[in-house]
Coordinates of all heavy atoms in Angstrom, one line a residue:
M45 N 140.6 226.2 134.0 CA 140.5 225.4 135.2 C 140.3 223.9 135.0 O 140.9 223.1 135.6 CB 139.3 226.0 136.0 CG 139.2 225.4 137.4 SD 140.5 225.7 138.5 CE 140.3 227.4 138.8
N46 N 139.4 223.6 134.0 CA 139.2 222.1 133.7 C 140.5 221.5 133.2 O 140.7 220.4 133.5 CB 138.1 221.9 132.7 CG 136.7 222.0 133.3 OD1 136.6 222.1 134.5 ND2 135.7 222.1 132.5
F47 N 141.2 222.2 132.5 CA 142.5 221.7 131.9 C 143.4 221.3 133.1 O 144.1 220.2 133.1 CB 143.1 222.7 131.0 CG 144.5 222.3 130.5 CD1 144.6 221.3 129.5 CD2 145.6 222.8 131.0 CE1 145.8 220.9 129.0 CE2 146.9 222.4 130.5 CZ 147.0 221.4 129.5
L48 N 143.5 222.2 134.1 CA 144.4 221.9 135.2 C 143.9 220.7 136.0 O 144.7 219.8 136.4 CB 144.4 223.1 136.2 CG 145.2 223.0 137.4 CD1 146.7 222.6 137.1 CD2 145.1 224.2 138.3
C49 N 142.6 220.6 136.2 CA 142.0 219.5 136.9 C 142.3 218.2 136.2 O 142.6 217.1 136.8 CB 140.5 219.7 137.1 SG 140.2 221.0 138.3
V50 N 142.1 218.2 134.8 CA 142.3 217.0 134.0 C 143.8 216.6 134.1 O 144.1 215.5 134.3 CB 141.9 217.2 132.6 CG1 142.4 216.0 131.7 CG2 140.4 217.3 132.5
A51 N 144.7 217.6 134.0 CA 146.1 217.3 134.1 C 146.5 216.7 135.5 O 147.2 215.7 135.5 CB 146.9 218.6 133.8
L52 N 146.0 217.3 136.5 CA 146.3 216.7 137.8 C 145.7 215.3 138.0 O 146.4 214.4 138.6 CB 145.7 217.7 138.9 CG 146.5 219.0 139.1 CD1 145.7 219.9 140.0 CD2 147.9 218.8 139.6
S53 N 144.5 215.1 137.4 CA 143.9 213.8 137.6 C 144.8 212.7 136.8 O 145.0 211.6 137.2 CB 142.5 213.8 137.0 OG 141.9 212.5 137.2
C54 N 145.3 213.1 135.6 CA 146.1 212.2 134.8 C 147.4 211.9 135.6 O 147.9 210.8 135.5 CB 146.3 212.8 133.4 SG 144.9 212.8 132.4
C55 N 148.0 212.9 136.2 CA 149.2 212.7 137.0 C 148.9 211.8 138.1 O 149.7 210.9 138.5 CB 149.7 214.1 137.5 SG 150.5 215.1 136.3
M56 N 147.7 211.9 138.8 CA 147.4 211.0 139.9 C 147.3 209.6 139.4 O 147.9 208.6 140.0 CB 146.0 211.4 140.5 CG 146.0 212.5 141.3 SD 144.3 212.9 142.0 CE 144.0 211.5 143.0
E57 N 146.7 209.4 138.2 CA 146.6 208.1 137.7 C 148.0 207.5 137.3 O 148.3 206.3 137.6 CB 145.8 208.1 136.4 CG 145.5 206.8 135.8 CD 144.3 206.1 136.4 OE1 143.4 206.7 137.1 OE2 144.3 204.9 136.3
A58 N 148.8 208.3 136.7 CA 150.2 207.9 136.3 C 151.0 207.5 137.5 O 151.9 206.6 137.4 CB 150.8 208.9 135.4
L59 N 150.9 208.2 138.6 CA 151.7 208.0 139.8 C 151.1 207.0 140.7 O 151.5 206.8 141.8 CB 151.8 209.4 140.6 CG 152.7 210.4 139.8 CD1 152.6 211.7 140.5 CD2 154.2 209.9 139.6
S60 N 149.9 206.4 140.3 CA 149.2 205.4 141.2 C 148.8 206.1 142.5 O 148.8 205.4 143.5 CB 149.9 204.2 141.4 OG 150.2 203.5 140.1
I61 N 148.4 207.3 142.4 CA 147.9 207.9 143.7 C 146.3 208.0 143.5 O 145.8 208.6 142.6 CB 148.4 209.4 143.8 CG1 149.9 209.4 144.0 CG2 147.7 210.1 145.0 CD1 150.6 210.7 144.0
Y62 N 145.7 207.4 144.4 CA 144.2 207.2 144.4 C 143.5 208.0 145.5 O 142.3 207.8 145.7 CB 143.8 205.8 144.4 CG 144.3 205.1 143.1 CD1 145.4 204.3 143.2 CD2 143.7 205.2 142.0 CE1 145.9 203.7 142.1 CE2 144.2 204.6 140.8 CZ 145.3 203.8 140.8 OH 145.8 203.3 139.7
S63 N 144.2 208.9 146.1 CA 143.6 209.8 147.1 C 143.9 211.2 146.8 O 145.0 211.6 146.7 CB 144.2 209.4 148.5 OG 143.9 210.4 149.4
E64 N 142.8 212.0 146.7 CA 143.0 213.5 146.5 C 143.8 214.1 147.6 O 144.6 215.0 147.4 CB 141.7 214.1 146.2 CG 140.9 213.6 145.0 CD 139.5 214.1 144.9 OE1 139.1 214.9 145.7 OE2 138.8 213.6 143.9
N65 N 143.5 213.6 148.8 CA 144.2 214.2 150.0 C 145.7 213.9 149.9 O 146.5 214.8 150.2 CB 143.7 213.6 151.3 CG 142.3 214.0 151.6 OD1 141.8 215.1 151.2 ND2 141.6 213.3 152.3
L66 N 146.1 212.8 149.5 CA 147.5 212.4 149.3 C 148.2 213.2 148.3 O 149.2 213.8 148.4 CB 147.7 210.9 149.0 CG 149.2 210.5 148.8 CD1 150.0 210.7 150.0 CD2 149.1 209.0 148.5
L67 N 147.4 213.4 147.1 CA 148.0 214.2 146.1 C 148.2 215.6 146.5 O 149.3 216.2 146.3 CB 147.1 214.2 144.8 CG 147.6 215.2 143.7 CD1 148.8 214.6 143.1 CD2 146.5 215.3 142.6
W68 N 147.3 216.3 147.2 CA 147.4 217.6 147.6 C 148.5 217.7 148.7 O 149.3 218.7 148.7 CB 146.1 218.2 148.2 CG 145.5 219.2 147.2 CD1 145.5 220.5 147.3 CD2 145.0 218.9 146.0 NE1 144.9 221.1 146.3 CE2 144.6 220.1 145.3 CE3 144.7 217.7 145.2 CZ2 143.9 220.2 144.1 CZ3 144.1 217.8 144.0 CH2 143.7 219.0 143.4
S69 N 148.7 216.8 149.5 CA 149.7 216.8 150.5 C 151.1 216.7 149.9 O 152.0 217.5 150.2 CB 149.5 215.6 151.4 OG 150.6 215.5 152.3
K70 N 151.2 215.8 148.9 CA 152.5 215.7 148.1 C 152.8 217.0 147.3 O 153.9 217.5 147.3 CB 152.5 214.5 147.2 CG 152.6 213.2 147.9 CD 152.9 212.1 147.0 CE 154.4 212.0 146.5 NZ 155.4 212.0 147.4
L71 N 151.8 217.6 146.7 CA 152.0 218.8 145.9 C 152.4 220.0 146.8 O 153.3 220.8 146.5 CB 150.8 219.1 145.1 CG 150.4 218.2 144.0 CD1 149.1 218.7 143.3 CD2 151.5 218.1 142.9
K72 N 151.8 220.1 148.0 CA 152.1 221.2 148.9 C 153.4 221.1 149.6 O 154.1 222.0 149.9 CB 151.0 221.3 149.9 CG 149.7 221.9 149.3 CD 148.7 222.2 150.3 CE 147.5 222.9 149.7 NZ 146.5 223.3 150.7
T73 N 153.8 219.8 149.8 CA 155.1 219.6 150.6 C 156.3 219.4 149.6 O 157.3 220.0 149.8 CB 155.0 218.4 151.5 OG1 154.6 217.3 150.8 CG2 154.0 218.7 152.6
D74 N 156.2 218.5 148.6 CA 157.3 218.1 147.8 C 157.4 219.0 146.6 O 158.5 219.1 146.0 CB 157.1 216.7 147.3 CG 157.2 215.7 148.5 OD1 157.6 216.1 149.6 OD2 156.8 214.5 148.3
Y75 N 156.3 219.6 146.1 CA 156.3 220.3 144.8 C 155.7 221.7 145.0 O 155.2 222.3 144.0 CB 155.6 219.5 143.7 CG 156.2 218.1 143.6 CD1 155.5 217.1 144.1 CD2 157.3 217.9 142.9 CE1 156.0 215.8 143.9 CE2 157.8 216.6 142.7 CZ 157.2 215.6 143.2 OH 157.6 214.3 143.1
A76 N 155.8 222.3 146.1 CA 155.1 223.6 146.4 C 155.7 224.7 145.4 O 154.9 225.5 144.9 CB 155.4 224.0 147.8
S77 N 156.9 224.7 145.1 CA 157.5 225.7 144.2 C 157.0 225.5 142.8 O 156.9 226.6 142.1 CB 159.0 225.7 144.3 OG 159.5 224.5 143.8
L78 N 156.6 224.4 142.4 CA 156.1 224.1 141.0 C 154.6 224.5 140.9 O 154.1 224.6 139.8 CB 156.4 222.7 140.6 CG 157.8 222.2 140.6 CD1 157.9 220.7 140.3 CD2 158.6 223.0 139.5
F79 N 153.9 224.5 142.0 CA 152.5 224.8 142.0 C 152.2 226.0 143.0 O 151.5 225.8 143.9 CB 151.7 223.6 142.4 CG 151.9 222.4 141.4 CD1 152.8 221.5 141.7 CD2 151.0 222.3 140.3 CE1 152.9 220.4 140.7 CE2 151.2 221.3 139.5 CZ 152.1 220.3 139.6
P80 N 152.7 227.2 142.6 CA 152.4 228.3 143.6 C 150.9 228.7 143.6 O 150.5 229.3 144.6 CB 153.3 229.4 143.0 CG 153.4 229.0 141.6 CD 153.4 227.6 141.5
N81 N 150.2 228.5 142.6 CA 148.7 228.8 142.5 C 147.9 227.6 142.3 O 146.9 227.6 141.6 CB 148.5 229.7 141.3 CG 149.4 231.0 141.3 OD1 149.5 231.6 142.4 ND2 150.0 231.3 140.2
L82 N 148.2 226.6 143.2 CA 147.4 225.4 143.1 C 145.9 225.7 143.6 O 145.7 226.4 144.5 CB 148.0 224.4 144.1 CG 147.4 223.0 144.2 CD1 147.6 222.3 142.8 CD2 148.0 222.2 145.2
I83 N 145.0 225.1 142.8 CA 143.6 225.3 143.1 C 143.3 224.6 144.4 O 144.0 223.7 144.9 CB 142.7 224.8 142.1 CG1 142.8 223.3 141.9 CG2 142.9 225.5 140.7 CD1 141.8 222.7 140.9
D84 N 142.2 225.1 145.1 CA 141.8 224.5 146.3 C 141.3 223.1 146.0 O 140.6 222.8 145.1 CB 140.6 225.3 146.9 CG 140.3 224.9 148.3 OD1 140.9 225.3 149.2 OD2 139.3 224.1 148.4
R85 N 141.7 222.2 147.0 CA 141.3 220.8 146.8 C 139.8 220.6 146.7 O 139.3 219.7 146.0 CB 141.9 219.9 148.0 CG 141.7 218.4 147.8 CD 142.2 217.7 149.0 NE 141.8 218.1 150.2 CZ 140.6 217.7 150.8 NH1 139.8 216.9 150.1 NH2 140.2 218.2 152.0
R86 N 139.0 221.4 147.4 CA 137.6 221.2 147.3 C 137.0 221.5 145.9 O 135.9 221.1 145.5 CB 136.9 222.1 148.4 CG 137.2 221.7 149.8 CD 136.7 222.7 150.7 NE 137.6 223.8 150.7 CZ 137.5 224.9 151.4 NH1 136.5 225.1 152.2 NH2 138.4 225.8 151.3
R87 N 137.7 222.3 145.1 CA 137.3 222.6 143.8 C 137.7 221.6 142.8 O 137.3 221.6 141.6 CB 137.9 224.0 143.3 CG 137.3 225.1 144.2 CD 137.8 226.5 143.8 NE 137.2 226.8 142.5 CZ 137.6 227.7 141.6 NH1 138.6 228.5 142.1 NH2 137.1 227.9 140.5
F88 N 138.6 220.7 143.2 CA 139.1 219.6 142.3 C 138.2 218.4 142.6 O 138.1 217.9 143.6 CB 140.5 219.3 142.7 CG 141.0 218.1 141.9 CD1 141.5 218.2 140.6 CD2 141.1 216.8 142.6 CE1 141.9 217.1 139.9 CE2 141.7 215.8 141.9 CZ 142.1 215.9 140.6
N89 N 137.5 218.0 141.6 CA 136.6 216.8 141.7 C 136.8 216.0 140.4 O 136.2 216.2 139.3 CB 135.2 217.2 141.8 CG 134.3 216.0 142.1 OD1 134.7 214.9 141.8 ND2 133.1 216.2 142.6
R90 N 137.8 215.1 140.4 CA 138.1 214.4 139.2 C 137.0 213.5 138.7 O 137.0 213.1 137.6 CB 139.4 213.6 139.3 CG 139.4 212.5 140.4 CD 140.8 212.0 140.6 NE 140.7 211.0 141.7 CZ 141.3 209.8 141.6 NH1 141.8 209.4 140.5 NH2 141.2 208.9 142.6
R91 N 136.1 213.1 139.6 CA 135.0 212.2 139.1 C 134.1 213.0 138.1 O 133.6 212.3 137.2 CB 134.2 211.8 140.3 CG 134.9 210.7 141.2 CD 134.3 210.5 142.5 NE 134.5 211.6 143.4 CZ 135.5 211.8 144.1 NH1 136.6 211.1 143.9 NH2 135.6 212.8 145.0
R92 N 133.9 214.2 138.3 CA 133.1 215.0 137.3 C 133.8 215.1 136.0 O 133.1 215.3 134.9 CB 133.0 216.5 137.8 CG 131.8 216.7 138.7 CD 131.6 218.1 139.0 NE 132.8 218.8 139.2 CZ 133.1 220.1 138.8 NH1 132.2 220.7 138.1 NH2 134.3 220.6 139.0
L93 N 135.0 215.0 136.0 CA 135.9 215.2 134.7 C 136.2 213.9 134.0 O 137.0 213.9 133.0 CB 137.1 216.0 135.1 CG 137.0 217.3 135.7 CD1 138.3 217.9 136.2 CD2 136.3 218.3 134.6
T94 N 135.6 212.8 134.4 CA 135.9 211.5 133.9 C 135.8 211.5 132.3 O 136.8 211.0 131.6 CB 135.1 210.4 134.4 OG1 135.3 210.3 135.9 CG2 135.3 209.0 133.8
P95 N 134.8 212.1 131.7 CA 134.8 212.1 130.2 C 135.9 212.7 129.5 O 136.5 212.3 128.6 CB 133.4 212.8 129.9 CG 132.6 212.7 131.1 CD 133.6 212.7 132.2
F96 N 136.4 213.8 130.1 CA 137.6 214.5 129.6 C 138.8 213.7 129.8 O 139.7 213.7 128.9 CB 137.7 215.9 130.3 CG 136.6 216.8 130.0 CD1 135.8 217.2 131.1 CD2 136.3 217.3 128.8 CE1 134.7 218.0 130.9 CE2 135.3 218.2 128.6 CZ 134.4 218.5 129.7
I97 N 139.0 213.1 131.0 CA 140.1 212.3 131.3 C 140.2 211.1 130.3 O 141.3 210.8 129.8 CB 140.1 211.8 132.7 CG1 140.2 213.0 133.6 CG2 141.2 210.8 133.0 CD1 139.8 212.7 135.1
I98 N 139.1 210.5 130.0 CA 139.0 209.3 129.0 C 139.5 209.9 127.6 O 140.3 209.1 127.0 CB 137.6 208.7 129.0 CG1 137.4 208.0 130.3 CG2 137.5 207.8 127.8 CD1 136.0 207.5 130.5
Q99 N 139.1 211.0 127.2 CA 139.5 211.6 126.0 C 141.0 211.7 125.9 O 141.7 211.4 124.9 CB 138.8 212.9 125.7 CG 137.3 212.8 125.3 CD 136.7 214.1 125.0 OE1 137.3 215.2 125.4 NE2 135.6 214.1 124.3
V100 N 141.6 212.3 127.0 CA 143.0 212.5 127.1 C 143.8 211.2 127.0 O 144.8 211.0 126.2 CB 143.4 213.3 128.3 CG1 144.9 213.3 128.6 CG2 142.9 214.7 128.3
Q101 N 143.3 210.2 127.8 CA 143.9 208.9 127.8 C 143.8 208.2 126.4 O 144.9 207.6 126.0 CB 143.2 208.0 128.8 CG 143.6 208.4 130.3 CD 142.7 207.6 131.3 OE1 141.6 207.1 131.0 NE2 143.2 207.6 132.5
E102 N 142.7 208.4 125.7 CA 142.6 207.7 124.4 C 143.5 208.5 123.4 O 144.1 207.8 122.5 CB 141.2 207.8 123.9 CG 140.3 206.8 124.6 CD 138.8 207.0 124.3 OE1 138.4 208.0 123.6 OE2 138.0 206.1 124.7
H103 N 143.7 209.8 123.5 CA 144.5 210.5 122.6 C 146.0 210.1 122.8 O 146.7 209.8 121.9 CB 144.4 212.0 122.9 CG 145.2 212.9 122.0 ND1 145.0 213.1 120.7 CD2 146.4 213.5 122.2 CE1 145.9 213.9 120.2 NE2 146.8 214.1 121.1
I104 N 146.4 210.0 124.1 CA 147.8 209.6 124.4 C 148.0 208.1 123.9 O 149.1 207.8 123.4 CB 148.1 209.7 125.9 CG1 148.1 211.2 126.2 CG2 149.4 209.1 126.3 CD1 148.2 211.5 127.7
S105 N 147.1 207.3 124.2 CA 147.1 205.9 123.8 C 147.3 205.8 122.2 O 148.2 205.0 121.8 CB 145.9 205.1 124.2 OG 145.9 203.8 123.7
A106 N 146.6 206.5 121.5 CA 146.7 206.5 120.0 C 148.1 207.0 119.6 O 148.7 206.5 118.7 CB 145.7 207.4 119.4
K107 N 148.7 208.0 120.3 CA 150.0 208.4 119.9 C 151.1 207.3 120.2 O 152.1 207.3 119.5 CB 150.3 209.7 120.7 CG 149.5 210.9 120.4 CD 150.0 211.6 119.2 CE 149.2 212.8 119.0 NZ 149.5 213.4 117.7
L108 N 150.9 206.6 121.3 CA 151.9 205.6 121.7 C 151.7 204.2 120.9 O 152.5 203.4 121.0 CB 151.7 205.3 123.2 CG 152.1 206.5 124.1 CD1 151.8 206.1 125.6 CD2 153.5 206.9 123.9
E109 N 150.6 204.1 120.3 CA 150.1 202.8 119.7 C 151.2 202.1 118.9 O 151.5 200.9 119.0 CB 148.9 203.0 118.9 CG 148.3 201.8 118.4 CD 146.9 202.0 117.8 OE1 146.7 203.1 117.3 OE2 146.1 201.1 117.8
N110 N 151.9 202.9 118.0 CA 152.8 202.2 117.1 C 154.3 202.3 117.5 O 155.2 202.0 116.7 CB 152.7 202.9 115.7 CG 151.3 202.6 115.2 OD1 150.7 201.6 115.3 ND2 150.7 203.7 114.5
L111 N 154.5 202.7 118.7 CA 155.9 202.9 119.2 C 156.5 201.6 119.7 O 157.7 201.4 119.8 CB 155.9 203.8 120.4 CG 155.6 205.3 120.0 CD1 155.7 206.2 121.2 CD2 156.5 205.8 118.9
S112 N 155.7 200.6 119.9 CA 156.2 199.3 120.4 C 155.4 198.2 120.0 O 154.1 198.3 119.8 CB 156.2 199.3 122.0 OG 156.7 198.0 122.4
E113 N 155.9 197.0 119.8 CA 155.1 195.8 119.5 C 154.4 195.2 120.7 O 153.5 194.5 120.6 CB 156.1 194.7 118.9 CG 156.6 195.1 117.6 CD 157.5 194.0 117.0 OE1 157.4 192.8 117.4 OE2 158.4 194.4 116.2
L114 N 154.9 195.6 121.9 CA 154.4 195.1 123.2 C 153.9 196.2 124.0 O 154.8 197.1 124.3 CB 155.4 194.2 123.9 CG 155.0 193.6 125.2 CD1 153.9 192.6 125.0 CD2 156.2 192.9 125.8
M115 N 152.7 196.2 124.5 CA 152.3 197.2 125.4 C 151.7 196.5 126.7 O 151.1 195.5 126.6 CB 151.1 198.1 124.8 CG 151.5 198.8 123.5 SD 152.6 200.3 123.8 CE 151.4 201.4 124.6
V116 N 152.0 197.2 127.8 CA 151.4 196.6 129.0 C 150.4 197.6 129.6 O 150.7 198.8 129.7 CB 152.6 196.5 130.1 CG1 152.0 196.0 131.5 CG2 153.6 195.4 129.6
I117 N 149.3 197.1 130.0 CA 148.3 198.0 130.5 C 148.0 197.6 131.9 O 147.8 196.5 132.3 CB 146.9 197.9 129.7 CG1 147.2 198.2 128.2 CG2 145.8 198.7 130.3 CD1 146.0 198.0 127.3
D118 N 148.1 198.6 132.8 CA 147.9 198.4 134.3 C 146.8 199.4 134.6 O 146.9 200.6 134.6 CB 149.2 198.7 135.0 CG 149.0 198.5 136.5 OD1 148.0 197.9 136.9 OD2 149.8 199.1 137.3
R119 N 145.6 198.8 135.0 CA 144.5 199.6 135.3 C 143.7 199.1 136.5 O 143.3 197.9 136.5 CB 143.6 199.8 134.1 CG 142.4 200.7 134.3 CD 141.7 200.9 133.0 NE 140.6 201.7 133.2 CZ 140.5 203.0 132.9 NH1 141.5 203.6 132.3 NH2 139.4 203.7 133.2
R120 N 143.6 199.9 137.5 CA 142.8 199.5 138.7 C 141.4 200.1 138.4 O 141.2 201.2 138.1 CB 143.4 200.1 139.9 CG 144.7 199.5 140.3 CD 145.1 200.0 141.6 NE 146.4 199.7 142.0 CZ 147.1 200.1 143.0 NH1 146.5 200.9 143.9 NH2 148.3 199.7 143.3
R121 N 140.5 199.3 138.8 CA 139.0 199.8 138.9 C 138.1 198.6 138.8 O 138.3 197.7 138.2 CB 138.7 200.9 137.8 CG 139.5 202.1 138.2 CD 139.0 203.3 137.4 NE 140.1 204.2 137.6 CZ 140.0 205.5 137.3 NH1 138.9 205.9 136.8 NH2 140.9 206.3 137.5

């Protein structure tokens, strides 16, 4: 369950979606066939999972580190 929540949270970040309501609306309308067993929105709380999300972001960042001489970082917060 935590894996799914972290993955959804990372997708939200990548797509610049900052509202859980908007994400669930998009998933249910635009991607319903891809998420037939989507967890209830009330069970998804990305704020609790922040330490896991940071670990995933750091891991991905380390993988991408040597792929380019120039990297652009866009981060709201």
Side-chain angles (χ1 to χ4, degrees):
M45 185 66 66
N46 280 349
F47 177 75
L48 176 60
C49 290
V50 169
L52 288 172
S53 185
C54 290
C55 288
M56 284 179 66
E57 185 82 22
L59 296 170
S60 298
I61 296 174
Y62 295 99
S63 163
E64 294 170 10
N65 291 333
L66 177 58
L67 176 67
W68 254 253
S69 175
K70 288 194 75 57
L71 292 176
K72 287 184 174 186
T73 57
D74 299 344
Y75 305 102
S77 63
L78 299 175
F79 295 94
N81 300 317
L82 184 63
I83 63 172
D84 188 82
R85 187 180 52 83
R86 290 172 287 180
R87 295 183 66 194
F88 174 79
N89 186 341
R90 64 189 176 128
R91 287 168 289 283
R92 272 188 321 143
L93 298 170
T94 299
F96 299 111
I97 295 165
I98 290 170
Q99 286 180 342
V100 169
Q101 289 172 337
E102 288 173 350
H103 180 75
I104 292 171
S105 176
K107 295 280 187 190
L108 297 174
E109 188 173 27
N110 296 321
L111 294 179
S112 175
E113 293 180 22
L114 178 65
M115 298 286 290
V116 176
I117 299 172
D118 180 17
R119 183 169 178 106
R120 291 184 190 178
R121 293 195 195 191

